[in-house]
Amino acid sequence: MPIVKHPRATEPLWHEWDRKAQKCGLRHTAYAVNGDQYTGEWLDNLKHGKGTQVWKCTGAIYSGDWKFGKRDGYGSYSIPDPVTKEYKKVYTGWWKNDKKCGYGVTFYPDGERYEGEWSSGLRSGWGRMYYQDGSIYEGQWLEDRPSGQGMLRLPNENRYEGGWKDGKKHGPGKFFYLDKGQLFEGIWAADIPKCGILIDFGRDEAPAPTQYPIPKV
């Protein structure tokens, strides 16, 4: 009686390749089709946990926390200097859903720096901005602009304290002309003082006081 041999059921090779391709846990560097590379932890084929991403087109690098394929948690983002090729830190702080969110520090190309709170990638909440001309703003922000209560200190130490809206002085505020020893207190609208009073303030210590003191009413 002839013996019939049934062929052993074989699994398609792509099944095995697919199993090996599944990324979960700590893996070596994985390269994307566009040349980007990622080294770190995975979960269900998504970047999840600690990891470092390098973008080929810009050379930018992010090192920090990931959550389901997006930057989420604490991490730093740096880009290479176009001349020296050395990496310069752009942002260090908290992220959520691939955008700056929470407290963080951003370094701008012209030497300016922001330290404070972010929301959906925009400066929002409390923060301090160091400008290129030496001015410093400290106070509330909304959608990347000073809004709420804040203080702007100029390079000559004169300063404004009061309300802001859309990045401009708005509402009740005080402007201290410390170089002249005067104080203006009044109402502002879109960076323009609308009404108020001007009085002498620290006139004796001012470096360049006006020739005549303001008479008292």
Side-chain angles (χ1 to χ4, degrees):
M1 182 177 179
I3 300 175
V4 179
K5 291 185 177 181
H6 296 283
R8 183 180 299 174
T10 58
E11 185 182 46
L13 285 176
W14 71 266
H15 283 187
E16 182 181 355
W17 296 339
D18 186 61
R19 279 197 303 270
K20 291 181 178 180
Q22 299 302 306
K23 294 181 282 294
C24 189
L26 182 63
R27 294 289 296 267
H28 294 297
T29 302
Y31 294 86
V33 177
N34 60 4
D36 296 347
Q37 59 187 67
Y38 172 81
T39 306
E41 297 176 300
W42 299 78
L43 179 65
D44 296 334
N45 282 324
L46 294 174
K47 302 160 191 170
H48 191 90
K50 302 285 185 182
T52 300
Q53 166 95 12
V54 180
W55 287 267
K56 182 180 180 180
C57 60
T58 62
I61 182 171
Y62 169 82
S63 181
D65 297 326
W66 296 78
K67 189 174 182 180
F68 301 117
K70 296 182 178 181
R71 290 169 289 186
D72 201 302
Y74 189 86
S76 62
Y77 179 79
S78 304
I79 59 174
D81 185 275
V83 179
T84 64
K85 304 302 180 183
E86 294 181 359
Y87 275 96
K88 289 188 175 181
K89 200 164 287 186
V90 175
Y91 175 79
T92 300
W94 293 91
W95 302 73
K96 187 176 182 180
N97 199 28
D98 223 31
K99 295 181 180 180
K100 303 169 189 173
C101 188
Y103 184 86
V105 181
T106 291
F107 302 88
Y108 296 92
D110 51 12
E112 297 183 340
R113 183 173 86 253
Y114 172 81
E115 303 172 355
E117 297 175 312
W118 297 78
S119 179
S120 299
L122 301 176
R123 292 169 288 187
S124 291
W126 179 92
R128 183 187 295 117
M129 182 74 188
Y130 297 85
Y131 294 97
Q132 188 178 21
D133 64 359
S135 301
I136 302 174
Y137 171 82
E138 182 174 358
Q140 296 174 307
W141 293 75
L142 180 64
E143 296 181 350
D144 235 23
R145 295 180 179 181
S147 290
Q149 294 294 310
M151 180 186 72
L152 176 67
R153 187 167 72 242
L154 302 177
N156 61 2
E157 297 300 326
N158 290 348
R159 70 178 187 270
Y160 168 82
E161 299 177 4
W164 294 80
K165 184 180 180 182
D166 297 330
K168 297 180 180 180
K169 306 176 191 71
H170 194 89
K174 298 178 180 179
F175 201 106
F176 295 84
Y177 295 93
L178 299 182
D179 57 341
K180 297 180 179 179
Q182 293 179 333
L183 164 65
F184 176 84
E185 184 173 359
I187 305 296
W188 301 70
D191 248 3
I192 300 174
K194 293 298 184 178
C195 63
I197 57 173
L198 185 66
I199 62 174
D200 285 330
F201 179 85
R203 179 182 175 83
D204 296 337
E205 294 82 20
T210 54
Q211 185 175 0
Y212 302 104
I214 299 174
K216 294 183 179 181
V217 178

